[in-house]
Amino acid sequence: MNQTVNQIPPYRWAKRARDSVAPEGGTTSGGDLIELGGGFDFPDALPDIVSEAMAAAELRSETLQYGPLYGLNDLRDAVAEYLRQDGIAATRENILVVNGAKHGLDLACRVFLEPEDPVIVAAPTYLMAAKILRHAEASFVSIPQDEEGMDTEVLRDRLQARQDAGESMPKLLYDMPDFHNPTGIPMSAVRRRRLVDLATQYDFVIIEDDPYRRIRFEGEAVPPIKAFDESGRVIGLGTISKILAPGLRIGWVNADPAIVRRIAAHKSDGGSCPLLQRIVVQLLRNRKMDQHVATLISLLRVHRNAMIDAIHEHLPDTLVRVPNGGYFLWVRLPPGIDADELVRRAAKEGVSIISGRLCFAEEPPGSFLRLAYSFSTPADIVEGVKRLGRAYASIRSELETSINRIVRS
């Protein structure tokens, strides 16, 4: 018989787990709830991998055994070739296969961070990265962004001030320079090179998270930060989750071999699933992934445009930047509109969104929303923003009533 709540023993939780309770339920919304918050893949664009899965199953002496710790050599070679297309000098020895990019970040935290070690992040930053860093008991050095990405001059001033004051210096910097989650901002080449220079000068390691680089709608690509790295100061995190299918759970760490070997020693799963790895190898080699990405770009460009147009119509007085790629829009709300309250009211209207408050490692300035155009159809995006507009209008109406009352009094 299951124990009742009152019968649960007084477990002696670890400090890091005392306030951590994962919600139950699925990863995507269902029923009449329109999903405009989570960065899920577009269901209609998920690839057909039946032939690749069948071919992988024929190699069952490989694919149904425990996988090698570092990953299948064929996949490591294929990933290295994939990265060389972006000007990154990678070989098999630089690649560790992991269960998605977040797994790679978690492993990097294990080998670099002690409790309270400072980590540099953008403000705002990827909400799940902030969560992983908090679980590693890191402290934060939050650096603002502008239209070129993380402000490296502010970063330099903050680092020099810490050094002059004898404070502990950051070991790691985490950022997502291509179509940043949540802002959508791509970091300029000048800033990328400057980050590498600062990492050398102030002795920290850059973690470059790169899930969206291939999802580009317009503009010219900028070399990854790792392409400017000549001394092993950059750890690249990659994944197929956003460019192929998140359910395959395959990502990689691209780093100096000394870092790869140290991280691999903390990989408690032994080796990532070889069946899934073999499927990904085939998709890379037969160019199916390239074809899939091209299709995805065409679809998501339509999604993005539908959401931008709907925001202009239904969310007056908000500010939104049009990203050249990725999955997300970062919406600044006008003064007096609380994002958390808007999230609650939107849910009652049947639309799921995310408060920008979750995207700041420290105290957030202003009020923002992170909206995702990746999962829902264009028609659902328009309907979802329309519903969000009703929630937004109700808050604005109450705010105007309150201001009028104060003015009359």
Side-chain angles (χ1 to χ4, degrees):
M1 181 180 296
N2 292 333
Q3 292 176 311
T4 66
V5 173
N6 292 332
Q7 294 173 315
I8 293 177
Y11 298 117
R12 293 181 293 168
W13 307 112
K15 181 181 178 181
R16 72 180 67 88
R18 288 173 189 165
D19 298 320
S20 302
V21 179
E24 295 186 18
T27 57
T28 56
S29 58
D32 294 329
L33 187 66
I34 295 176
E35 178 61 63
L36 298 183
F40 307 112
D41 282 22
F42 185 45
D44 292 351
L46 292 172
D48 180 357
I49 61 168
V50 172
S51 60
E52 287 78 15
M54 292 176 64
E58 292 178 2
L59 302 172
R60 55 184 175 274
S61 61
E62 171 196 77
T63 58
L64 299 183
Q65 280 285 5
Y66 291 111
L69 177 62
Y70 287 85
L72 298 182
N73 283 338
D74 280 353
L75 181 55
R76 297 170 73 197
D77 290 341
V79 168
E81 173 59 30
Y82 183 73
L83 295 175
R84 284 195 291 270
Q85 297 173 21
D86 284 326
I88 295 173
T91 65
R92 178 189 299 176
E93 288 69 30
N94 298 112
I95 305 302
L96 174 68
V97 178
V98 291
N99 304 321
K102 290 190 289 292
H103 185 204
L105 176 59
D106 181 67
L107 290 169
C109 290
R110 294 189 194 189
V111 301
F112 279 102
L113 297 181
E114 305 288 353
E116 298 304 317
D117 277 346
V119 175
I120 304 160
V121 296
T125 190
Y126 173 38
L127 62 92
M128 290 304 297
K131 181 177 180 180
I132 290 168
L133 290 164
R134 287 191 187 99
H135 286 173
E137 301 177 64
S139 61
F140 293 98
V141 178
S142 296
I143 304 299
Q145 300 177 76
D146 59 22
E147 290 301 301
E148 292 188 63
M150 183 184 286
D151 191 325
T152 50
E153 293 314 299
V154 171
L155 173 59
R156 185 197 65 81
D157 292 345
R158 294 279 298 277
L159 290 171
Q160 190 60 49
R162 292 179 74 96
Q163 189 175 82
D164 292 345
E167 298 177 2
S168 60
M169 298 298 287
K171 289 182 178 179
L172 297 177
L173 178 149
Y174 170 86
D175 201 21
M176 193 178 289
D178 283 295
F179 311 124
H180 180 272
N181 178 356
T183 65
I185 294 171
M187 183 182 289
S188 69
V190 171
R191 294 270 176 94
R192 295 177 195 226
R193 189 183 295 276
R194 180 64 171 145
L195 274 186
V196 175
D197 292 340
L198 291 173
T200 302
Q201 181 179 352
Y202 292 99
D203 190 24
F204 61 86
V205 170
I206 298 167
I207 298 179
E208 178 181 23
D209 197 356
D210 186 23
Y212 304 106
R213 179 175 176 80
R214 293 299 197 279
I215 310 298
R216 172 176 289 278
F217 309 137
E218 300 96 16
E220 295 296 323
V222 177
I225 299 174
K226 185 66 176 170
F228 298 109
D229 180 26
E230 297 178 353
S231 59
R233 285 280 173 185
V234 180
I235 298 173
L237 301 180
T239 180
I240 61 153
S241 291
K242 305 303 183 182
I243 56 175
L244 191 62
L248 290 176
R249 305 312 305 143
I250 295 295
W252 55 86
V253 174
N254 168 34
D256 183 272
I259 294 176
V260 168
R261 291 193 294 270
R262 193 63 60 97
I263 287 178
H266 287 261
K267 198 168 184 287
S268 59
D269 65 354
S272 300
C273 174
L275 176 64
L276 301 180
Q277 291 185 62
R278 180 54 61 185
I279 291 171
V280 175
V281 169
Q282 294 181 77
L283 291 167
L284 282 166
R285 287 182 172 173
N286 65 17
R287 317 305 295 180
K288 213 169 176 180
M289 189 155 82
D290 291 342
Q291 297 165 16
H292 174 75
V293 169
T295 299
L296 192 61
I297 289 171
S298 295
L299 289 169
L300 293 187
R301 184 187 292 112
V302 174
H303 289 213
R304 178 204 61 180
N305 293 344
M307 182 172 278
I308 290 289
D309 290 344
I311 288 172
H312 289 159
E313 180 177 356
H314 298 292
L315 299 177
D317 299 325
T318 61
L319 296 176
V320 60
R321 182 184 182 279
V322 181
N324 289 338
Y327 275 26
F328 300 104
L329 297 182
W330 186 238
V331 181
R332 179 188 287 272
L333 300 171
I337 305 295
D338 180 75
D340 294 345
E341 177 61 21
L342 185 53
V343 168
R344 287 188 286 270
R345 296 197 189 193
K348 293 180 180 179
E349 294 284 350
V351 60
S352 174
I353 58 174
I354 287 179
S355 169
R357 188 179 301 276
L358 300 175
C359 301
F360 289 88
E362 300 177 281
E363 187 65 26
S367 194
F368 301 87
L369 298 178
R370 191 196 76 170
L371 300 181
Y373 48 79
S374 57
F375 179 75
S376 296
T377 65
D380 280 345
I381 287 172
V382 172
E383 174 60 25
V385 176
K386 184 177 179 180
R387 296 180 186 183
L388 174 58
R390 291 199 294 265
Y392 175 74
S394 70
I395 296 177
R396 294 189 79 194
S397 176
E398 292 173 9
L399 183 63
E400 290 172 4
T401 300
S402 176
I403 291 172
N404 291 335
R405 186 179 298 117
I406 293 172
V407 170
R408 287 195 300 270
S409 66

